[in-house]
Amino acid sequence: MSKGNDNEGLGCGQRIQKNLITGFLSLFALLPLCVLHFIGSVLSFFVRAIGYRRKVIRKNITECFPEMSVRERRHIENKFYRHLCDVMMESVKLFHISDAEMRRRVTVNGVEALNSEIADGKSIAIMLGHYGNWEWVQEIGRYISSDAICGMVYRPMHSNVWDRVFLQMRSRWGFLPIPQKKVVRELIGMSMRKQSWAIGFIADQRPNSASLNHWTYFMNHDTAYSPGAEEISKRVDAAFFYLDIARPRRGHYTFTFVPIEPDKDDKDPYAYTRKFLEMFEQTVRRDPSMWLWSHNRWKFGREKSSGEVKKS
């Protein structure tokens, strides 16, 4: 299984780069979070000034909220830039943050129902999106029963060096990062060994152009989705939970586990994924600024007449 703090597979030069980067970030993380937030505010000013992915961000917000005025949509845009920089600073802080401070800044609700399923021998599929601070989600591992292996599925980065840096950050408290291409083997293997797991699937990502086979209506768009999390989890009779994320104030998050219960008359083979997207849309609409608007979620559409993929 993947470990976040080794250098296996890196050349000598890459190991040096990785150690220099993590060393610098670890020193930077010594700053109090209030100072990092101030730096994030300054950074967000420059990010807005250079127009980082502005075209994609404005297109996404406009198409999702056509009923809003231009002023309202710009307000979401500005808040998003600030939140994005906050997430960057808060993620760096993971290199040097105490257990006590994380417990003070993160509240976890609804875990009793999840642990009850684990006590019955079930594994848990936790579905969430790129919302709030998804890098701090590893804090939930402290609250989940020790009978289950906790972790998160991730897409490896193109840079091996930065991939190892992020793996080190994401496995700070023993949270298991599982590469997307290995998730089937890892989870099925654990289940065959009678080992329960509670694994997070960030399920709002756009499928690649070769996998646009499943569609639903989400955020005012005809939207392609990947059913992989549901396919894998159903094979081992896992229970499904949605992780709702809220930010009561800057630098503080509330993670709430909610059972995913598809409508009884929904006969869709991927009803859990569709229900997740319904629940997630409610979260996004509650505070739009905390979703990852810079992601080109609707890069591909579909022809209503022929079903062929087109770029939108």
Side-chain angles (χ1 to χ4, degrees):
M1 294 183 185
S2 301
K3 298 293 182 183
N5 59 354
D6 62 28
N7 293 320
E8 183 181 354
L10 295 181
C12 180
Q14 290 178 319
R15 288 197 298 271
I16 293 172
Q17 290 180 53
K18 184 251 183 181
N19 291 335
L20 286 174
I21 293 170
T22 54
F24 171 77
L25 293 178
S26 296
L27 287 173
F28 192 57
L30 290 171
L31 294 171
L33 193 55
C34 60
V35 175
L36 292 175
H37 277 151
F38 173 76
I39 295 172
S41 295
V42 175
L43 180 62
S44 70
F45 173 82
F46 289 102
V47 171
R48 286 198 305 271
I50 65 174
Y52 169 71
R53 297 188 68 81
R54 180 180 292 153
K55 184 177 180 180
V56 170
I57 293 167
R58 288 188 176 176
K59 179 176 182 292
N60 285 342
I61 295 175
T62 299
E63 292 180 355
C64 288
F65 301 105
E67 75 283 2
M68 288 186 177
S69 66
V70 173
R71 182 177 180 180
E72 289 173 318
R73 293 196 291 264
R74 292 295 182 272
H75 180 64
I76 293 173
E77 177 185 318
N78 291 334
K79 286 183 66 178
F80 163 71
Y81 276 122
R82 180 178 176 181
H83 175 66
L84 180 64
C85 293
D86 276 358
V87 170
M88 292 169 59
M89 295 298 104
E90 291 166 1
S91 298
V92 169
K93 188 63 179 175
L94 286 173
F95 282 99
H96 197 284
I97 189 170
S98 68
D99 294 353
E101 184 171 4
M102 283 298 288
R103 284 193 294 268
R104 181 170 61 85
R105 292 183 175 277
V106 173
T107 300
V108 179
N109 298 322
V111 74
E112 297 83 8
L114 184 147
N115 283 334
S116 177
E117 296 281 6
I118 294 173
D120 289 338
K122 287 264 194 177
S123 288
I124 309 293
I126 303 168
M127 304 183 79
L128 65 152
H130 286 95
Y131 187 87
N133 190 333
W134 56 92
E135 297 293 356
W136 277 21
V137 165
Q138 59 183 290
E139 174 68 8
I140 66 176
R142 302 178 191 274
Y143 298 83
I144 295 174
S145 170
S146 59
D147 292 333
I149 291 177
C150 297
M152 180 78 73
V153 179
Y154 77 99
R155 287 183 177 180
M157 302 177 75
H158 293 298
S159 166
N160 287 335
V161 172
W162 278 103
D163 189 54
R164 298 307 173 87
V165 170
F166 272 82
L167 282 177
Q168 183 171 328
M169 180 185 73
R170 289 167 174 167
S171 55
R172 165 86 187 271
W173 290 283
F175 211 63
L176 177 67
I178 304 176
Q180 191 175 47
K181 290 183 178 181
K182 297 182 179 180
V183 65
V184 175
R185 184 182 68 187
E186 294 280 11
L187 298 189
I188 298 298
M190 281 190 270
S191 296
M192 290 179 66
R193 297 190 298 272
K194 307 299 182 183
Q195 171 63 63
S196 295
W197 43 261
I199 300 296
F201 296 84
I202 298 183
D204 65 335
Q205 300 184 89
R206 182 192 70 233
N208 61 46
S209 59
S211 305
L212 300 174
N213 304 314
H214 306 282
W215 297 81
T216 191
Y217 200 69
F218 170 72
M219 293 300 298
N220 204 41
H221 286 81
D222 202 19
T223 302
Y225 67 89
S226 172
E230 185 166 352
E231 289 179 336
I232 298 166
S233 302
K234 280 182 174 178
R235 288 175 65 177
V236 299
D237 193 30
F240 291 83
F241 281 79
Y242 169 53
L243 187 65
D244 181 65
I245 300 176
R247 185 181 61 178
R249 61 187 188 277
R250 198 176 192 186
H252 293 259
Y253 295 90
T254 300
F255 299 144
T256 302
F257 290 104
V258 183
I260 300 177
E261 299 174 343
D263 300 332
K264 293 181 179 179
D265 59 348
D266 190 343
K267 305 302 181 183
D268 189 283
Y270 301 114
Y272 284 95
T273 305
R274 288 162 56 91
K275 186 64 176 180
F276 153 73
L277 288 169
E278 289 179 18
M279 299 168 77
F280 184 54
E281 178 167 343
Q282 293 177 10
T283 298
V284 173
R285 291 186 179 277
R286 185 179 67 213
D287 185 348
S289 67
M290 292 202 295
W291 194 31
L292 191 62
W293 293 103
S294 54
H295 174 50
N296 197 356
R297 181 65 179 82
W298 295 284
K299 181 179 180 180
F300 299 102
R302 63 174 172 174
E303 296 284 359
K304 293 182 179 179
S305 57
S306 65
E308 294 178 354
V309 173
K310 68 174 183 178
K311 287 189 177 182
S312 59

